[in-house]
Amino acid sequence: MVIVTTIRREVLTLPTAELGPDNPLPPLRPLDEAHRIDDRDREALPRDMARQIGYEPLRSLLPTRVRDGYDRDRAPRRIDALVIENDRLRATVLPALGGRIASLVHKPTDRELLYRNPVLQPANFALNGAWFSGGIEWNIGATGHTSLSCAPLHAARVPAPDGGEMLRLWEWERLRDLPFQVDLWLPEGSDFLHVGVRIRNPHEKPAPTYWWSNIAVPEQRRVLAPASEAWHFGYERRLRRVPVPSYDGVDRSYPLNSPYAADYFYEIPEERRRWIAALDADGHGLVHTSTDVLRGRKLFVWGTGSGGRRWQEWLTEPGTGGYCEIQAGLARTQLEHIRLDPESEVSWLEAYGPLDAEADVDAEGEWPAVVDGVEARLETALPRADLDAAYAAWEPYADTEPGEILATGSGWGALEVLRTDWKLPGTPFDESTLGEAQAPWAALLRSGALPEPRRVRPPGETLVAPHWRDMLETAPATPLTEYHLGVAQWHAGDRAQAVRSWERAIELAPSLWPLLRCLAVADQESGNHERAADRYTEAFADLCHERRDAGESWTAATAALGREAVEALLRVRRVADARAVWEMLHPATRERGRFLLLQAELLLAEGRRDDAWAVFADGFEVADLREGAESIGRLWTRLTDEPLPTRYDFRMRPETP
């Protein structure tokens, strides 16, 4: 047999905004979660859905860091890619950016099956910040876009079930402490990219698990799925059952018929095949199908309102066409997490390919007939039995050890394997991948003590899982150890003990500002905002005294702490103190959009309304504006009764009376 699948390296050049440094301050505050539902809706939910919505929702971003150092200054930059190709399909994968499939081209028709973003612009949509739109992304961890959205994954060549080659991606997901893998291959002569996914729980206790494959497609499509009902969820945080495709007299299977951003989670009958398709007026487009374990299907739309259109421009490039997302997940909705038993795994097979259903998908026919017609076309193109057989053929290969390493991810998985000596066939986390971030924790593992840093710098990341917390509790009580122990205790919910650890460390610590900042957050969370303001002021002064240079690490720390300090001081109306902190920020930091918005708020607090207005008139862009955030609009309404200008309108829900 002639093997026609190839895997090769390629370099893309795209207008790209730099990711910049991560925020060095540990994310101690509760998760800013836009995907919570109103308590009024819980009682009407199916029992299994209600149980899974309430099962272990993510409450903290620790041990990850917030990625907010990016900007919107795009320039042509080189991006490493891996291309897997046969004579029918070409998939372009970005291993350093979450393993995203940036492009999927059907070669016989020269059609791009995805929405291929012409730019790479980070925005604040991932759980921990930086995310970008377009292509196919792999979301693991918890409700929302994965913390690995802009992080590197390991990648390697692996033998495929048909004797060819697979491209394997794997990494350690840190929020849930679980390893996972994604295997991509193209069976000979196939029009479908096959994707085998496996999540493992090597622990001796159950773990909450989450997965959604998100596929960006042009929004000038009709989206079809084998369902007559869906769960509608919008940014009003209401979850309700609606008919498919039409309700309120509007056919919502056309993304541009929805006025506001919304999710539609399809209620697919148990016996039906799992699939979703996005087809144009001629019946051409992309279909996604899977084995039955991947239960959920979803349509996400931005809507036609001014806020939704602004987000489309913000994430892509004006004039390049908008997109929507079709998605597939382990549960019916993205609000749920499923239980993965101890020392067990969950796996499934997905397939992505072209579908030609002719123009009847856009006709006025009855929805069931249209859906049945598309499903029949899918059955001809890729029979359900063939997909199940491909999954069975892939399963033994999931454990095959990788061959040539094509890309390297983080060292966090290697650290966990070093700690436990777990055997994880197919996904090696080699000790050679340990890096600077893991070095102090590897030393703690080997010697029982955290090493003192060789130079003064912001503290590194904190590991917070129970086994690491236990090691910190028995390690020599140096100020650095007490700092990390306090963060781990805070994550565990033992806030009183965390405060005691930080207070003990202050007595001997050479660097006070990391501890004072943690104590300030604790004060805020307990409602003591005046003392928090005092501690923020002291922390920022100590940081400015201690910082050694204007390098990336110190600049990021100064910006992050300075912003929190100004906000804390404005909250208790200590405007002069807030101005003093502002003046000590780096000039380049003060010119960033996030800080121009903060400056406008500070000017308004000082009674300088005209100057605050001038900040808006001059224009600014808050690069890390959060999904669903309304801070710009709220400040605008304090300044004027005029309508919010389009450039500042990022509202994702209807205005409430």
Side-chain angles (χ1 to χ4, degrees):
M1 180 174 63
V2 178
I3 304 302
V4 296
T5 299
T6 62
I7 299 173
R8 69 178 189 275
R9 289 185 170 91
E10 192 171 280
V11 176
L12 307 181
T13 300
L14 288 177
T16 301
E18 291 276 20
L19 278 172
D22 289 354
N23 189 322
L25 307 182
L28 300 177
R29 290 183 173 83
L31 194 65
D32 180 19
E33 179 54 73
H35 301 94
R36 294 192 303 270
I37 69 169
D38 192 299
D39 287 339
R40 292 173 291 176
D41 296 332
R42 290 182 182 269
E43 292 184 3
L45 299 179
R47 185 174 300 175
D48 63 331
M49 184 187 293
R51 182 180 66 253
Q52 291 181 164
I53 286 176
Y55 177 55
E56 297 287 343
L58 191 67
R59 304 187 188 281
S60 171
L61 290 178
L62 290 165
T64 65
R65 282 185 162 176
V66 173
R67 310 201 74 174
D68 60 1
Y70 51 88
D71 54 32
R72 293 187 58 80
D73 297 326
R74 295 195 289 264
R77 293 186 172 93
R78 292 163 62 86
I79 300 167
D80 290 333
L82 298 171
V83 177
I84 179 169
E85 181 173 18
N86 67 0
D87 61 338
R88 311 294 295 173
L89 286 174
R90 181 173 62 250
T92 304
V93 182
L94 308 181
L97 294 165
R100 182 81 59 100
I101 299 180
S103 170
L104 183 63
V105 174
H106 184 235
K107 294 167 69 174
T109 58
D110 195 30
R111 286 198 196 111
E112 173 62 69
L113 300 179
L114 308 175
Y115 174 79
R116 182 171 186 170
N117 199 333
V119 303
L120 204 163
Q121 176 58 63
N124 193 0
F125 276 71
L127 286 164
N128 63 335
W131 169 87
F132 64 103
S133 63
I136 303 171
E137 57 176 310
W138 320 111
N139 288 294
I140 181 174
T143 297
H145 295 281
T146 177
S147 62
L148 296 168
S149 291
C150 291
L153 303 190
H154 302 279
R157 299 179 193 269
V158 182
D162 61 359
E165 288 187 321
M166 290 193 295
L167 173 60
R168 174 163 298 163
L169 307 166
W170 73 98
E171 191 40 285
W172 198 279
E173 200 288 311
R174 300 177 67 204
L175 294 177
R176 299 303 197 182
D177 217 12
L178 302 175
F180 72 98
Q181 72 188 75
V182 178
D183 288 355
L184 297 87
W185 82 100
L186 294 163
E188 184 180 2
S190 176
D191 276 333
F192 285 83
L193 174 68
H194 286 43
V195 180
V197 183
R198 176 168 64 169
I199 305 172
R200 288 191 275 204
N201 177 14
H203 302 283
E204 296 178 348
K205 62 178 182 178
T209 309
Y210 174 94
W211 183 277
W212 281 81
S213 301
N214 289 9
I215 311 144
V217 293
E219 63 183 351
Q220 296 82 13
R221 296 289 186 270
R222 191 179 196 192
V223 174
L224 301 107
S228 60
E229 292 183 310
W231 295 91
H232 172 276
F233 182 75
Y235 285 80
E236 312 93 315
R237 295 180 174 171
R238 300 302 305 273
L239 183 65
R240 56 196 177 95
R241 198 190 297 253
V242 298
V244 171
S246 300
Y247 72 92
D248 291 341
V250 177
D251 188 339
R252 311 287 173 154
S253 65
Y254 296 92
L256 289 172
N257 281 353
S258 291
Y260 297 102
D263 300 326
Y264 297 90
F265 299 103
Y266 295 108
E267 187 70 76
I268 298 177
E270 206 58 47
E271 70 279 1
R272 291 297 292 261
R273 182 175 184 175
R274 267 52 180 164
W275 62 270
I276 189 168
L279 307 178
D280 64 20
D282 295 323
H284 305 307
L286 173 80
V287 65
H288 172 280
T289 186
S290 72
T291 49
D292 290 351
V293 166
L294 203 64
R295 175 183 185 180
R297 293 297 184 274
K298 170 193 162 183
L299 165 64
F300 168 75
V301 298
W302 284 105
T304 55
S306 58
R309 305 330 293 169
R310 182 69 177 113
W311 273 117
Q312 291 266 26
E313 293 179 352
W314 187 257
L315 296 170
T316 60
E317 187 77 357
T320 58
Y323 74 95
C324 62
E325 290 177 356
I326 57 174
Q327 307 183 12
L330 282 174
R332 275 185 289 192
T333 74
Q334 287 177 331
L335 308 173
E336 303 168 67
H337 300 92
I338 68 167
R339 172 188 164 113
L340 188 57
D341 288 333
E343 300 176 338
S344 70
E345 62 183 51
V346 59
S347 63
W348 62 90
L349 183 66
E350 306 179 41
Y352 299 78
L355 193 68
D356 181 358
E358 298 184 349
D360 55 2
V361 301
D362 212 31
E364 295 297 324
E366 292 294 324
W367 173 259
V370 173
V371 168
D372 288 347
V374 171
E375 187 167 310
R377 296 275 183 162
L378 170 60
E379 185 64 19
T380 299
L382 181 61
R384 187 177 188 179
D386 287 2
L387 187 69
D388 290 338
Y391 170 67
W394 166 72
E395 277 192 293
Y397 287 81
D399 281 348
T400 302
E401 291 303 316
E404 179 191 0
I405 300 298
L406 300 171
T408 303
S410 79
W412 296 113
L415 184 67
E416 292 303 321
V417 170
L418 185 66
R419 181 184 66 83
T420 60
D421 197 31
W422 277 324
K423 307 301 180 187
L424 299 168
T427 54
F429 293 96
D430 193 84
E431 195 169 339
S432 65
T433 62
L434 292 170
E436 183 181 3
Q438 294 83 39
W441 301 95
L444 174 64
L445 187 61
R446 293 185 174 113
S447 69
L450 271 180
E452 288 298 312
R454 296 180 180 177
R455 55 190 173 90
V456 177
R457 58 182 177 180
E461 297 179 62
T462 303
L463 296 185
V464 297
H467 39 266
W468 292 106
R469 188 173 71 247
D470 291 345
M471 280 186 260
L472 289 169
E473 287 176 345
T474 58
T478 65
L480 181 61
T481 301
E482 294 279 25
Y483 162 80
H484 286 300
L485 176 58
V487 174
Q489 290 165 332
W490 183 272
H491 174 266
D494 193 350
R495 296 188 170 186
Q497 190 58 55
V499 168
R500 284 192 286 271
S501 294
W502 293 326
E503 288 176 340
R504 283 196 305 268
I506 278 182
E507 298 176 7
L508 298 174
S511 294
L512 298 180
W513 67 266
L515 298 158
L516 288 168
R517 183 264 176 178
C518 289
L519 290 168
V521 173
D523 286 335
Q524 287 181 323
E525 291 300 304
S526 64
N528 195 335
H529 296 287
E530 280 289 351
R531 189 167 66 184
D534 289 339
R535 281 177 161 156
Y536 267 121
T537 302
E538 187 179 352
F540 190 73
D542 184 69
L543 170 59
C544 291
H545 173 75
E546 184 175 279
R547 66 187 178 201
R548 295 300 191 262
D549 52 51
E552 185 178 81
S553 179
W554 286 107
T555 299
T558 305
L561 185 58
R563 173 184 164 187
E564 289 187 10
V566 171
E567 291 171 343
L569 289 161
L570 288 179
R571 181 163 189 166
V572 294
R573 301 182 182 179
R574 288 165 54 173
V575 180
D577 291 339
R579 171 61 65 183
V581 171
W582 173 267
E583 295 297 335
M584 287 192 288
L585 291 169
H586 291 98
T589 297
R590 295 200 297 262
E591 293 303 312
R592 290 167 54 185
R594 168 63 64 185
F595 289 85
L596 290 173
L597 176 62
L598 186 59
Q599 181 190 30
E601 187 174 356
L602 176 57
L603 289 167
L604 184 59
E606 291 172 327
R608 299 162 61 185
R609 183 176 297 271
D610 290 344
D611 291 335
W613 170 271
V615 174
F616 278 88
D618 291 343
F620 60 87
E621 293 185 322
V622 181
D624 63 328
L625 188 68
R626 184 65 176 166
E627 171 189 12
E630 299 178 354
S631 52
I632 296 178
R634 285 196 295 267
L635 183 57
W636 176 264
T637 59
R638 291 169 58 195
L639 285 171
T640 178
D641 293 330
E642 293 185 19
L644 183 65
T646 301
R647 68 176 300 179
Y648 299 124
D649 187 358
F650 294 90
R651 292 171 292 189
M652 299 178 74
R653 61 186 177 119
E655 292 188 57
T656 52

